[in-house]
């Protein structure tokens, strides 16, 4: 514990101060009687900007998006009714390794101690069920009290940031205005320094393997982005002249124009050159690799048995497991320890794939193939690209310009995530261009958050595919079943509905020429492009993975084998 003199502060104000010191400039959420007192402190202190959302689920998604670009995020909800709506987003942040702080304004300590029945509870006098629920989906959780607040606030914020995982904090409504003693010095966000001997040994072991290798490679998963080591990875790859591939969840963490970039590794569904680099080399470094069916080409990935596995705070080299080593320090050490290689020049950059595509007839009905081909040309360096589940996975086929960020939820995959998360990235980095690629079904889950983007004058470009329902699901099963149909909305009219004085430019696109016209609109306001497409049109990769998914999900005797039960590739 610090021995420097403390100061007195109200618990709520200290929480806001700590968030600000941790680089959190905005608080998302929905008010309720149990968190209004904190919101009043926010207003009075002018600390953090309030961004009210339409729902708590969307607040959790927005915080996730904000944290992807800002490194940490927070949102507030009210007891149980708000928290339970947000728990999907918090669990998703856990799955995707995103540091999000959920602050639940909860029932007063007075009610807990006296066993008073309260609204927003089960009405049975219990008060710890929701804390228990969040314990399942967070790295740490706590109910603040005047006794523990100064310690727990710092512990939760630091745990979220260090582990890149969500945390849950209950702030009972009757303690936010109580004075406690708090540290005077600011909170310092830092990873724990590595154990010096472990770090030296670990770096030496990796450098020895790498230096002796003739065909080393790196495979990057999303933790590389979360721990901010993209620069170290490219420096190491350039020094060793070795290929670096990414999983789908890690797309764009390494610039795709980097001469040693080796593409997306997705098991046997990858390009042959990517498979060769990752599976066929003699020293593979994996960073945060977490194989799941959707990032391993349905478990067809096969990394060499002696892969060196780096994680945020530990490393495996052969039989040795190194603890107390932080990723950035390990990579820095390895870069310094390996020799500059000059014998493995980079492959020639591939000619841009889109340029080679066939020229589409402008008046022809828009197809998925023509859509993704046209959009490739729209991309600019520095864009933030979102995809939701569905045929919008087409973005994984993009060859991205430099310094783009891809925001996706490949493992958790909760549809509608992208719309809420977009509010978060727009708030974190309004100076960047944000492109949302979303299907009509996903959009319908969280569409109302468009209104918050319009309310704050944000200028994203929204590419919505209107194909009448859940096309990706039709590739699993129910090609023509009504359960995969959805209500028909006038999507492009929504900006006007959500903000009657909007300047948003809306387009309903039916042909390639319509799309080209929409793409020529200037980015000085929100652009909403609704593209009408056939329910049975989908990128081949999406159909293949859905068909394979059905085999895994339903087994050989499943109903997907009935005639015409599945959308299948046209060949
Ligand atoms: C919260 C949640 N509910 C249901 C699903 C199952 N699901 C995955 S993709 C999908 C359909 C997406 O449809 P849409 O966004 O329209 O995409 P497209 O038609 O382009 O494939 C559904 C229902 C999910 N992933 N998450
Ligand atoms: Mg759809």
């Amino acid at each position: 514990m610090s021995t420097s003199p403390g100061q007195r502060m109200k618990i709520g104000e200290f929480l806001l101060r700590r968030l600000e010191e941790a680089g959190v400039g905005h608080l998302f959420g929905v008010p309720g009687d149990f968190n209004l007192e904190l919101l009043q402190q926010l207003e009075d202190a002018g600390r953090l900007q309030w961004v009210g959302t339409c729902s708590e689920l969307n607040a959790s998604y927005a915080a996730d998006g904000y944290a992807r670009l800002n490194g940490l995020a927070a949102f507030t909800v009210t007891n149980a009714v708000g928290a339970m709506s947000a728990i999907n987003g918090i669990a998703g942040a856990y799955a995707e390794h995103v540091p999000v702080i959920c602050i639940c304004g909860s029932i007063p300590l007075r009610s807990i101690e006296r066993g008073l029945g309260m609204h927003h509870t089960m009405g049975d006098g219990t008060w710890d069920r929701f804390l228990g629920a969040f314990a399942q989906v967070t790295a740490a959780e706590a109910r603040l009290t005047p006794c523990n607040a100064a310690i727990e606030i710092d512990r939760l914020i630091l745990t979220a940031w260090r582990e890149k995982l969500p945390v849950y904090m209950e702030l009972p409504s009757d303690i936010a205005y109580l004075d406690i003693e708090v540290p005077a010095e600011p909170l310092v966000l830092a990873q724990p320094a590595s154990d010096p001997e472990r770090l030296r040994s670990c770096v030496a072991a990796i450098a020895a393997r790498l230096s002796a290798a003739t065909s080393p490679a790196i495979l990057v998963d999303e933790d590389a982005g979360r721990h901010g080591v993209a620069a170290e990875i490219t420096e190491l790859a350039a020094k060793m002249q070795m290929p670096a591939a990414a999983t789908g969840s890690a797309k764009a963490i390494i610039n795709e124009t980097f001469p040693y970039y080796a593409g997306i590794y997705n098991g046997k569904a990858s390009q042959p050159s990517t498979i060769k680099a990752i599976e066929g080399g003699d020293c593979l470094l994996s960073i945060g690799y977490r194989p799941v069916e959707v990032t391993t080409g349905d478990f067809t990935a096969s990394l060499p048995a002696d892969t060196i596995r780096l994680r945020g705070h530990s490393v495996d080299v052969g039989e040795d497991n190194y603890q107390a080593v932080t990723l950035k320090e390990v990579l820095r050490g390895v870069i310094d320890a390996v020799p500059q290689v000059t014998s493995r020049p980079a492959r020639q950059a591939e000619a841009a794939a889109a340029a080679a595509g066939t020229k589409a007839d402008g008046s022809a009905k828009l197809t998925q193939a023509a859509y993704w081909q046209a959009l490739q040309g729209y991309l600019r360096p520095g864009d933030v690209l979102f995809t939701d589940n569905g045929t919008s996975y087409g973005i994984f086929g993009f060859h991205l310009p430099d310094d783009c960020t891809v925001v996706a939820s490949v493992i958790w995959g909760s549809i509608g995530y992208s719309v809420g998360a977009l509010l978060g990235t727009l708030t974190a980095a309004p100076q960047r261009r944000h492109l949302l690629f979303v299907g009509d079904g996903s959009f319908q889950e969280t569409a109302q958050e468009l209104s918050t983007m319009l309310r704050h004058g944000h200028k994203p470009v929204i590419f919505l595919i209107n194909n009448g329902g859940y096309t990706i699901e039709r590739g699993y099963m129910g090609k023509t079943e009504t359960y995969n149909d959805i209500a028909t909305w006038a999507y492009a009219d929504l900006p006007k509905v959500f903000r009657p004085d909007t300047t948003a430019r809306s387009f309903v696109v039916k042909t390639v020429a319509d799309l080209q016209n929409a793409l020529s609109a200037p980015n000085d306001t929100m652009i909403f492009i609704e593209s009408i497409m056939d329910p049975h049109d989908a990128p081949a990769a999406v159909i293949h993975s859905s068909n394979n998914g059905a085999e895994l999900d339903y087994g050989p005797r499943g109903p997907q084998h009935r005639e015409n039960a599945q959308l299948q590739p046209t060949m």
Side-chain angles (χ1 to χ4, degrees):
M1 286 292 299
S2 159
T3 52
S4 66
Q7 65 179 91
R8 291 205 158 270
M9 253 182 124
K10 299 196 186 313
I11 292 174
E13 286 172 9
F14 178 62
L15 169 57
L16 297 172
R17 187 190 116 193
R18 280 311 207 211
L19 289 172
E20 201 174 59
E21 288 168 358
V24 176
H26 298 80
L27 187 67
F28 300 92
V30 180
D33 58 322
F34 296 130
N35 68 6
L36 284 177
E37 81 294 345
L38 178 69
L39 294 180
Q40 193 57 49
Q41 288 175 317
L42 179 148
E43 283 297 323
D44 291 345
R47 282 187 198 281
L48 273 65
Q49 234 171 293
W50 171 245
V51 183
T53 55
C54 302
S55 77
E56 288 82 356
L57 176 62
N58 288 351
S60 70
Y61 289 159
D64 182 308
Y66 187 88
R68 303 265 187 139
L69 296 194
N70 186 62
L72 189 65
F75 71 102
T76 185
V77 297
T78 196
N79 199 77
V81 291
M84 288 294 106
S85 283
I87 202 167
N88 176 0
I90 284 292
Y94 197 107
E96 302 290 330
H97 291 184
V98 185
V100 169
I101 301 162
C102 176
I103 301 165
C104 178
S106 61
I107 58 172
L109 284 184
R110 171 210 328 255
S111 307
I112 292 174
E113 290 205 339
R114 297 193 170 177
L116 305 178
M118 299 291 292
H119 70 285
H120 299 340
T121 73
M122 300 303 194
D124 59 0
T126 60
W127 38 268
D128 55 0
R129 293 167 185 255
F130 309 111
L131 200 62
F134 275 88
Q136 306 297 316
V137 295
T138 56
E141 87 290 346
R143 172 179 300 119
L144 301 186
T145 66
C147 177
N148 74 17
I151 295 167
E152 290 291 359
I153 287 171
D154 284 4
R155 179 179 77 96
L156 292 182
I157 293 175
L158 273 172
T159 300
W161 189 84
R162 284 184 167 181
E163 299 189 21
K164 312 304 176 195
L165 290 172
V167 296
Y168 175 72
M169 179 189 296
E170 284 193 356
L171 175 63
S173 59
D174 57 348
I175 70 166
Y177 276 80
L178 302 183
D179 284 318
I180 57 166
E181 196 168 343
V182 300
E185 61 274 15
L187 183 67
V188 177
L189 289 185
Q191 291 293 348
S194 302
D195 173 90
E197 183 285 325
R198 291 284 77 195
L199 180 63
R200 257 194 321 274
S201 307
C202 176
V203 165
I206 298 173
R209 283 269 324 268
L210 268 183
S211 306
T214 55
S215 51
I218 305 183
L219 176 60
V220 172
D221 208 337
E222 60 184 334
D223 274 2
R226 303 295 184 263
H227 285 273
V229 293
E232 283 78 8
I233 291 164
T234 47
E235 189 177 342
L236 178 60
K239 191 167 185 190
M240 290 300 296
Q241 296 198 322
M242 63 176 168
T247 64
S249 334
K251 185 171 172 71
I253 289 176
I254 308 169
N255 272 337
E256 298 193 345
T257 58
F258 175 57
Y260 290 93
Y261 176 63
I264 298 289
Y265 178 66
N266 184 25
K268 299 293 179 276
S270 328
Q271 294 296 323
S273 61
T274 311
I275 296 177
K276 182 159 171 262
I278 297 305
E279 297 181 4
D282 57 358
C283 178
L284 180 67
L285 250 58
S286 72
I287 299 187
Y289 184 58
R290 292 191 293 151
V292 295
E293 93 279 37
V294 285
T295 59
T296 57
D298 295 298
F299 306 121
T300 58
S302 97
L303 305 197
D306 60 359
T307 296
I308 297 172
R309 293 174 189 270
L310 295 89
R311 293 173 290 266
H313 303 100
S314 67
V315 174
D316 281 321
V317 188
E319 290 306 304
D320 294 318
N321 172 262
Y322 296 86
Q323 293 292 333
V325 289
T326 60
L327 183 56
K328 212 176 197 113
E329 290 186 320
V330 171
L331 287 171
R332 193 70 256 156
V334 173
I335 293 166
D336 294 341
V338 294
Q340 172 71 57
V341 171
T342 53
S343 56
R344 295 190 283 256
R347 58 176 172 71
Q348 287 298 306
E350 282 164 23
T358 49
K359 192 110 184 79
D361 168 10
S363 62
K365 236 178 87 182
L366 188 63
T367 61
Q368 290 266 350
Y371 185 68
W372 295 109
Q373 191 187 320
L375 294 183
Q376 170 70 57
Y378 188 71
L379 308 176
R380 289 202 310 238
D383 283 345
V384 181
L385 292 87
F386 282 81
T387 181
D388 219 302
N389 283 38
T391 62
S392 292
Y393 275 153
I395 78 149
F396 288 111
F398 282 152
H399 188 67
L400 295 177
D402 279 351
D403 304 324
C404 288
T405 304
V406 170
V407 181
S409 176
V410 172
I411 298 178
W412 188 247
S414 182
I415 60 170
Y417 161 79
S418 66
V419 183
L422 173 62
L423 172 66
T425 64
L426 287 163
T427 307
Q431 74 286 0
R432 293 178 70 177
R433 194 173 71 157
H434 301 248
L435 314 179
L436 169 65
F437 300 92
V438 66
D440 46 4
S442 301
F443 183 77
Q444 287 197 359
E445 291 253 5
T446 48
Q448 73 274 44
E449 225 51 59
L450 197 61
S451 72
T452 313
M453 298 173 214
L454 289 159
R455 180 180 178 191
H456 291 278
H458 290 304
K459 304 177 175 65
V461 189
I462 297 176
F463 292 97
L464 182 138
I465 295 176
N466 175 350
N467 53 15
Y470 306 135
T471 292
I472 191 172
E473 302 287 36
R474 300 184 200 276
Y476 281 76
M477 230 197 21
K479 179 179 173 186
T480 56
E481 299 292 354
T482 52
Y483 55 69
N484 282 326
D485 298 341
I486 58 173
T488 306
W489 291 9
Y491 298 96
D493 291 347
L494 286 176
K496 181 90 185 138
V497 171
F498 286 141
R499 180 163 180 170
D501 67 344
T502 186
T503 58
R505 297 174 210 280
S506 282
F507 300 87
V508 178
V509 164
K510 293 182 176 153
T511 64
V512 175
D514 290 346
L515 180 60
Q516 291 299 356
N517 173 50
L519 294 181
S520 65
N523 291 112
D524 54 357
T525 182
M526 179 184 284
I527 299 176
F528 194 105
I529 303 177
E530 172 188 353
S531 295
I532 314 281
M533 282 195 259
D534 190 294
H536 293 159
D537 188 7
V542 171
I543 300 180
H544 279 298
S545 100
S546 301
N547 290 171
N548 289 340
E551 292 313 304
L552 181 68
D553 287 355
Y554 317 127
R557 288 173 51 77
Q560 77 276 19
H561 293 124
R562 290 184 198 163
E563 184 149 7
N564 206 31
Q566 271 184 341
L567 177 58
Q568 288 183 338
T570 47
M571 266 178 275

